[in-house]
Amino acid sequence: MTGTSDPGQDPTRTEHLSGAGGPGFGTFRFWFDSQRWEWSPEVYIMHGYRPGVVEPTTELLLAHKHPEDRDQVAESIARSIREGQPFSSQHRFLDTAGDEHQVMIVSERILDAGGNAVGTRGYYIDLSEAIDNAERQTLDAVVPEVVEARAVIEQAKGVLILMYSITADQAFRLLTWRSQETGTELRDIAEALIAAVQKNPPTPPSSVAAFDRLLLGIHRQVPEES
């Protein structure tokens, strides 16, 4: 999308998205009955708008989605409404300047007093590489435990990589997001995640057998040295 004539565009968008203190995370709410969206200022800025100037709607959301991801996101929203489930997704969108963002949306249901799902709320997490690198440098400088506790953090990253099919940098970003959002030390988040995963039900035998075959034959996939 381009939007040079749109008065709702954020003239400081480039500064905000450069990683120098700019928003990498934002929050949202989506109400099923009215299909009304609420964005935090950070989500507006991610999309290139000044907060509050435009009304977020499903149509606006879909107009910004990458053409290859638009149908997937539309179906995720429809399923969320139809089944009362959280709106969670990994996809790309284009901001008002046409710059591409890769985001992960992590959410939960909003329940009324009777326990019925009336909406979903959660987080936009910008996984764009430029923001990842800048914020990682800041975190490495501010949070020395990241270096000291590298082993357990690497284990937790591996869990997220396997679960969400994301990169190592993106997995690190998710861990730091939970650390910042909850005010919990990064190392403690990683240790708790590993402990919780170890309590999960055993992996189905069919999956273990498939992985056994992969492990036993993995040497055949190692490129030969020239």
Side-chain angles (χ1 to χ4, degrees):
M1 288 184 60
T2 58
T4 54
S5 62
D6 189 339
Q9 275 195 328
D10 183 2
T12 61
R13 184 196 60 79
T14 302
E15 175 186 347
H16 279 298
L17 296 180
S18 68
F25 314 110
T27 61
F28 76 94
R29 290 189 182 92
F30 178 54
W31 304 95
F32 296 146
D33 284 347
S34 62
Q35 298 190 26
R36 178 170 57 89
W37 293 88
E38 299 174 9
W39 283 355
S40 71
E42 294 84 0
V43 178
Y44 280 101
I45 292 170
M46 282 184 198
H47 287 81
Y49 297 109
R50 289 194 297 270
V53 172
V54 297
E55 179 182 358
T57 64
T58 299
E59 291 73 21
L60 180 67
L61 261 69
L62 294 178
H64 275 281
K65 301 313 177 190
H66 191 286
E68 295 178 1
D69 296 346
R70 188 172 295 135
D71 289 346
Q72 163 209 324
V73 175
E75 173 55 29
S76 294
I77 295 173
R79 182 171 57 251
S80 184
I81 297 170
R82 184 173 62 247
E83 301 177 4
Q85 295 298 321
F87 170 53
S88 298
S89 175
Q90 291 184 55
H91 60 266
R92 296 162 292 175
F93 73 80
L94 306 178
D95 63 25
T96 54
D99 293 333
E100 181 178 309
H101 299 254
Q102 182 181 358
V103 294
M104 173 181 287
I105 297 178
V106 180
S107 67
E108 61 184 358
R109 296 185 300 169
I110 301 174
L111 304 178
D112 63 15
N116 302 305
V118 295
T120 180
R121 62 186 170 202
Y123 301 86
Y124 269 75
I125 307 164
D126 195 328
L127 299 175
S128 302
E129 183 176 357
I131 297 178
D132 280 340
N133 291 340
E135 291 199 2
R136 180 164 185 168
Q137 291 174 6
T138 301
L139 287 165
D140 282 341
V142 174
V143 188
E145 301 90 79
V146 171
V147 177
E148 297 172 3
R150 181 60 61 187
V152 69
I153 291 170
E154 290 298 323
Q155 291 178 31
K157 283 168 56 179
V159 171
L160 297 177
I161 291 168
L162 179 62
M163 179 61 64
Y164 292 123
S165 298
I166 57 179
T167 67
D169 282 346
Q170 292 168 350
F172 181 82
R173 185 171 177 78
L174 286 181
L175 290 172
T176 56
W177 160 57
R178 294 313 299 152
S179 173
Q180 294 172 337
E181 187 68 24
T182 62
T184 307
E185 294 290 346
L186 182 60
R187 178 176 183 172
D188 294 338
I189 289 286
E191 289 178 341
L193 178 62
I194 294 301
V197 167
Q198 291 174 343
K199 295 177 183 177
N200 279 351
T203 304
S206 58
S207 297
V208 175
F211 190 82
D212 287 347
R213 291 193 295 272
L214 174 65
L215 179 62
L216 292 174
I218 197 64
H219 60 284
R220 301 188 185 94
Q221 300 184 31
V222 177
E224 295 183 2
E225 296 183 2
S226 56

